Amino acid sequence: MSLLDVGGPVMIGPSSSHTLGALRIGRFGNYFLGKTPDKAEFFLHQSFGQTYMGHGTDRALLGGVMGFGDADRAVKNAFALALSRGLDFSFQQEDLGEVHPNTVKMLLYDGAMPQEIWASSVGAGMIRIIKINGVDCDLSGAYPTLILVNKDTPRALGMILEKIDANVANLYLRRINKLLAKALTIVELDSDLTLRSLLEIKSLSVIQEAYYVKSLSAPIQGKGGEGR
Amino acid sequence: MTFNGIKQMASETKLPLHEAALVAELSETGNNPEETRAQLGEFLRVILEESEKQYGKVQETLTGLTGTNAKKVYDRGVLYHSPFTHVAIVASLSICESNASMGRVVACPTAGASGVIPGVFYALAKENEIPFDHLLPGYILASAIGNVIATKATLAGAAGGCQAEIGSAAAMAAGALAYLSGGDAEMVDSAAALVLKSLLGLVCDPVGGFVEVPCVKRNAIAVTAAISAAELALSGVSSVIPFDETVDAMRRIGRTLPMELRETGLGGLATTPTAKKAVDRILTRFQKS
Ligand code: SF4
């Protein structure tokens, strides 16, 4: 803990675990897609599922998916703002199994195929991203993250790592389709990639899809709705 | 970080208490004192801004269990308290009811206990007309007191009960008030210890698990306790048990609290017949919407 953790942060109430954490989870989804999705489906586990309306967890998730910052007052009007921006959404309770009580599964659509993200709000506004499109991981969202769908061929990983010009903090990978020889690679980085490095990775012959998720603590450009 | 450590550093270096806390922070986390001061200043600015904006207003809270209390006390005006304490109570209720309606708050030390510190600081700014630059040292010291608790024990209701949230908030507010009123290090120690001792054992039992009942009104009562403790300490009343040891006691008490009394909504006030009825009502209303 530091003085700054005790003296802050500035946030939208009422609960750091049920509101602030939820907002950050949603924002991870926004950064992943690089935009607000057309449709967002939320499946809420245990404590999240039972108390989400009384904590505004639903509005916080939705506001996050639209890219709102931690202290953006627009979160309160997230439902109306989502409708006006053409974002279709739904919330339901679901038993997600042996995970933290405050866990949500998000299906975010930009086109026909959704991105599936599982995340937990673990207290004091801190979050863990625990699964992305079927691949288990443990990301805090505090660092920039590279998410790649690549050909599962020998040397593919080596080629990717060679192009990364930031320090690699953590690496997660799994084959997602044996028939098509596809793998998903998640790389958590200590600092931002240069644009050049990112472009080089994207142009690799083994790369099919590449997503660069910026850090959740990166400064937010523009205003969510009504401003701070 | 211990409070004794901060006091000792202050007496060795002849620095004021809050500056010693910034130096301790530098040696523990590497955080630059000027940046820490500026960031804490931003938090304090938001606290004062929101207190001004929400003061005495009606709020539409998520559950509807609170939201009109700040206005009631504001409208009634001073009864038995001083104007200072009256302002502190209204500001505290205002911030907590705003928090419960998804307003902007500073989670100092937590969102649930976010009304106590604004109570004291807004009253100092409004009633005593203390300028911002003179308030900031108090806010730095309040954060340091909270950090002592976070290091030795916890600030989370789910881990240590409400003594860890509102108890800590009150200790931070009392210490800051004693400090800003010219109290020395021993008076600050006593102010924080006296109020924390009075709130030891306080359980976390929110109705339905929502941060409204008893949280909102508990913040307002805790502000008056913090002001009382500062008044005692500034008069020369000292706490027999020093602050650091009181925090140790709080940690031990927190460890023995059963899970039912740590933010689960399964014990205490949350299991009263009235609470159960209220929760049923809220859930039916949610289902309809
Ligand atoms: S009762 Fe629990 S939720 Fe409410 S303020 Fe106290 S610790 Fe926080």
Side-chain angles (χ1 to χ4, degrees), chain B residues 141-182:
Chain B
L141 192 64
S143 304
I145 293 171
N147 201 21
V148 168
I149 303 175
T151 315
K152 291 168 82 78
T154 174
L155 292 170
C162 199
Q163 56 167 5
E165 286 205 15
I166 290 186
S168 301
M172 294 158 69
L177 183 55
Y179 189 53
L180 292 176
S181 313

Coordinates of all heavy atoms in Angstrom, one line a residue, chain B residues 141-182:
Chain B
L141 N -1.5 13.8 6.2 CA -1.4 13.0 7.5 C -2.5 12.0 7.6 O -2.2 10.9 8.1 CB -1.4 14.0 8.6 CG -0.9 13.4 9.9 CD1 0.5 12.9 9.9 CD2 -1.1 14.3 11.1
A142 N -3.7 12.4 7.2 CA -4.8 11.4 7.3 C -4.5 10.2 6.4 O -4.7 9.0 6.9 CB -6.1 12.1 6.8
S143 N -3.9 10.4 5.2 CA -3.6 9.2 4.4 C -2.5 8.4 5.1 O -2.5 7.2 4.9 CB -3.1 9.7 3.0 OG -4.1 10.5 2.4
A144 N -1.5 9.1 5.7 CA -0.5 8.4 6.4 C -1.0 7.5 7.6 O -0.6 6.4 7.8 CB 0.6 9.3 6.9
I145 N -2.0 8.1 8.3 CA -2.6 7.3 9.4 C -3.3 6.1 8.8 O -3.2 4.9 9.3 CB -3.6 8.2 10.2 CG1 -2.9 9.3 10.9 CG2 -4.5 7.4 11.1 CD1 -3.7 10.4 11.6
G146 N -4.0 6.3 7.7 CA -4.7 5.1 7.0 C -3.7 4.1 6.5 O -3.9 2.9 6.6
N147 N -2.5 4.6 6.1 CA -1.5 3.7 5.6 C -0.9 2.9 6.7 O -0.6 1.7 6.5 CB -0.4 4.5 4.9 CG 0.4 3.6 3.9 OD1 -0.1 2.5 3.5 ND2 1.6 4.0 3.6
V148 N -0.8 3.5 7.9 CA -0.3 2.7 9.1 C -1.3 1.5 9.3 O -0.9 0.4 9.5 CB -0.3 3.6 10.3 CG1 -0.1 2.8 11.6 CG2 0.8 4.6 10.2
I149 N -2.6 1.8 9.2 CA -3.6 0.8 9.5 C -3.5 -0.3 8.3 O -3.6 -1.5 8.6 CB -5.0 1.4 9.5 CG1 -5.1 2.4 10.6 CG2 -6.1 0.3 9.8 CD1 -6.4 3.2 10.7
A150 N -3.4 0.2 7.1 CA -3.3 -0.8 6.0 C -2.1 -1.7 6.1 O -2.2 -2.9 5.8 CB -3.2 0.0 4.7
T151 N -1.0 -1.1 6.6 CA 0.2 -1.9 6.8 C 0.1 -2.9 7.9 O 0.5 -4.1 7.8 CB 1.4 -1.0 7.1 OG1 1.4 0.1 6.2 CG2 2.7 -1.7 6.8
K152 N -0.4 -2.5 9.1 CA -0.4 -3.3 10.3 C -1.6 -4.2 10.3 O -1.6 -5.3 10.9 CB -0.4 -2.4 11.5 CG 0.9 -1.7 11.8 CD 0.7 -0.6 12.9 CE 0.8 -1.2 14.3 NZ 2.2 -1.5 14.7
A153 N -2.8 -3.7 9.7 CA -4.0 -4.5 9.7 C -4.6 -4.5 8.4 O -4.1 -5.0 7.4 CB -4.9 -3.9 10.8
T154 N -5.8 -3.9 8.2 CA -6.5 -3.9 6.9 C -7.5 -2.7 6.9 O -7.9 -2.2 7.9 CB -7.3 -5.2 6.6 OG1 -8.0 -5.0 5.4 CG2 -8.2 -5.5 7.8
L155 N -7.8 -2.3 5.7 CA -8.8 -1.2 5.5 C -10.1 -1.8 4.9 O -11.0 -1.1 4.6 CB -8.3 -0.1 4.6 CG -7.2 0.8 5.1 CD1 -6.6 1.6 4.0 CD2 -7.6 1.6 6.3
A156 N -10.2 -3.1 4.7 CA -11.3 -3.7 4.0 C -12.3 -4.3 5.0 O -12.0 -5.1 5.9 CB -10.8 -4.8 3.1
G157 N -13.6 -3.9 4.8 CA -14.7 -4.5 5.7 C -14.8 -6.0 5.5 O -15.1 -6.7 6.5
A158 N -14.5 -6.5 4.3 CA -14.6 -7.9 4.1 C -13.5 -8.7 4.8 O -13.7 -9.9 5.1 CB -14.5 -8.2 2.6
A159 N -12.5 -8.0 5.2 CA -11.4 -8.7 5.9 C -11.5 -8.4 7.4 O -11.3 -9.3 8.2 CB -10.0 -8.3 5.4
G160 N -11.8 -7.2 7.8 CA -11.6 -6.8 9.2 C -12.9 -6.2 9.8 O -12.9 -5.8 11.0
G161 N -14.0 -6.3 9.1 CA -15.3 -5.7 9.7 C -15.3 -4.1 9.5 O -14.3 -3.6 8.9
C162 N -16.3 -3.5 9.9 CA -16.5 -2.1 9.7 C -15.5 -1.3 10.5 O -15.2 -0.1 10.2 CB -17.9 -1.6 10.0 SG -18.4 -0.1 9.2
Q163 N -15.0 -1.8 11.6 CA -14.0 -1.1 12.4 C -12.8 -0.7 11.4 O -12.2 0.3 11.6 CB -13.5 -1.9 13.5 CG -13.0 -3.3 13.1 CD -12.2 -4.1 14.2 OE1 -12.1 -3.6 15.3 NE2 -11.7 -5.2 13.8
A164 N -12.6 -1.6 10.4 CA -11.4 -1.4 9.5 C -11.8 -0.3 8.5 O -10.9 0.3 7.9 CB -11.0 -2.7 8.8
E165 N -13.1 -0.1 8.2 CA -13.4 0.9 7.2 C -13.8 2.2 7.9 O -13.1 3.2 7.8 CB -14.6 0.4 6.3 CG -14.2 -0.6 5.3 CD -15.1 -0.7 4.1 OE1 -15.9 0.2 3.9 OE2 -15.1 -1.7 3.4
I166 N -14.9 2.2 8.6 CA -15.4 3.5 9.2 C -14.5 3.8 10.4 O -14.2 4.9 10.7 CB -16.9 3.4 9.5 CG1 -17.6 3.5 8.1 CG2 -17.3 4.5 10.4 CD1 -19.1 3.6 8.2
G167 N -14.1 2.8 11.2 CA -13.2 3.0 12.3 C -11.9 3.7 11.8 O -11.4 4.6 12.4
S168 N -11.3 3.2 10.7 CA -10.1 3.7 10.2 C -10.4 5.2 9.7 O -9.6 6.1 9.9 CB -9.6 2.9 9.0 OG -9.3 1.6 9.4
A169 N -11.5 5.4 9.0 CA -11.8 6.7 8.4 C -11.9 7.7 9.6 O -11.4 8.8 9.5 CB -13.1 6.6 7.7
A170 N -12.5 7.3 10.7 CA -12.6 8.2 11.8 C -11.3 8.5 12.4 O -11.0 9.6 12.8 CB -13.6 7.6 12.9
A171 N -10.4 7.5 12.5 CA -9.1 7.7 13.1 C -8.3 8.7 12.2 O -7.6 9.6 12.7 CB -8.3 6.4 13.2
M172 N -8.4 8.5 10.9 CA -7.7 9.4 10.0 C -8.3 10.9 10.1 O -7.5 11.8 10.1 CB -8.0 8.9 8.5 CG -7.3 7.6 8.3 SD -8.0 6.7 6.9 CE -7.5 7.7 5.5
A173 N -9.6 11.0 10.2 CA -10.2 12.3 10.3 C -9.9 13.0 11.6 O -9.5 14.2 11.7 CB -11.7 12.2 10.2
A174 N -9.9 12.2 12.7 CA -9.6 12.8 14.1 C -8.1 13.2 14.1 O -7.8 14.3 14.6 CB -9.9 11.7 15.1
G175 N -7.2 12.4 13.6 CA -5.8 12.8 13.6 C -5.6 14.0 12.8 O -4.9 14.9 13.2
A176 N -6.2 14.1 11.6 CA -6.0 15.3 10.8 C -6.6 16.5 11.4 O -6.0 17.6 11.4 CB -6.7 15.0 9.4
L177 N -7.7 16.4 12.1 CA -8.3 17.6 12.7 C -7.5 18.0 13.9 O -7.2 19.3 14.0 CB -9.8 17.2 13.2 CG -10.6 18.3 13.9 CD1 -10.7 19.5 12.9 CD2 -11.9 17.8 14.3
A178 N -7.0 17.1 14.7 CA -6.1 17.5 15.8 C -4.8 18.2 15.2 O -4.4 19.2 15.7 CB -5.7 16.3 16.6
Y179 N -4.3 17.7 14.1 CA -3.1 18.2 13.5 C -3.3 19.6 13.0 O -2.6 20.6 13.2 CB -2.6 17.3 12.4 CG -1.3 17.6 11.8 CD1 -0.2 17.8 12.6 CD2 -1.1 17.8 10.4 CE1 1.1 18.0 12.1 CE2 0.1 18.0 9.9 CZ 1.2 18.2 10.7 OH 2.4 18.4 10.2
L180 N -4.4 19.8 12.2 CA -4.7 21.1 11.6 C -5.1 22.1 12.7 O -5.1 23.3 12.4 CB -5.8 20.9 10.6 CG -5.4 20.1 9.3 CD1 -6.6 20.0 8.4 CD2 -4.3 20.8 8.6
S181 N -5.5 21.7 13.9 CA -5.8 22.6 14.9 C -4.6 22.9 15.8 O -4.7 23.5 16.9 CB -6.9 22.0 15.8 OG -7.9 21.4 15.1
G182 N -3.4 22.5 15.3 CA -2.2 22.9 16.0 C -1.8 21.8 17.1 O -0.8 22.1 17.8

